[in-house]
Amino acid sequence: MTKAITGALMSHIAGEVLTLCTCWTVTRADGTVYRFTDHDADVVVAGARFAARVGYDASDTQTGAGFSVSNVDVRAIMSDESIT
């Protein structure tokens, strides 16, 4: 699978200061969806809000051809007022 990088992202990467974050979605078996980010503030992507309230640690990501992720280990403490 090929991934495209937008012109805006290319400009951001080429800039003097680089800030990137990881956004991830957890979908429970009952359909409830949680979205989290490792950024220091909430992030909105395509209308979906990713909450910055999480303890998150990811290993180095190994990518294969076409930027597909072939290996990553994630440890997190999910914290959201709707999780009991």
Side-chain angles (χ1 to χ4, degrees):
M1 178 170 111
T2 303
K3 294 185 181 182
I5 298 177
T6 65
L9 180 56
M10 284 299 291
S11 294
H12 183 73
I13 292 170
E16 188 173 320
V17 176
L18 177 63
T19 56
L20 298 175
C21 66
T22 302
C23 295
W24 50 288
T25 301
V26 175
T27 304
R28 293 188 335 193
D30 67 1
T32 302
V33 176
Y34 300 99
R35 292 181 177 91
F36 300 101
T37 181
D38 59 352
H39 191 45
D40 61 356
D42 289 359
V43 174
V44 177
V45 177
R49 185 182 63 84
F50 292 80
R53 296 179 308 270
V54 64
Y56 174 83
D57 179 37
S59 66
D60 290 337
T61 303
Q62 298 174 358
T63 58
F67 298 110
S68 63
V69 175
S70 59
N71 187 13
V72 66
D73 181 41
V74 176
R75 288 181 218 132
I77 299 171
M78 293 180 286
S79 176
D80 191 278
E81 50 276 348
S82 63
I83 299 174
T84 57

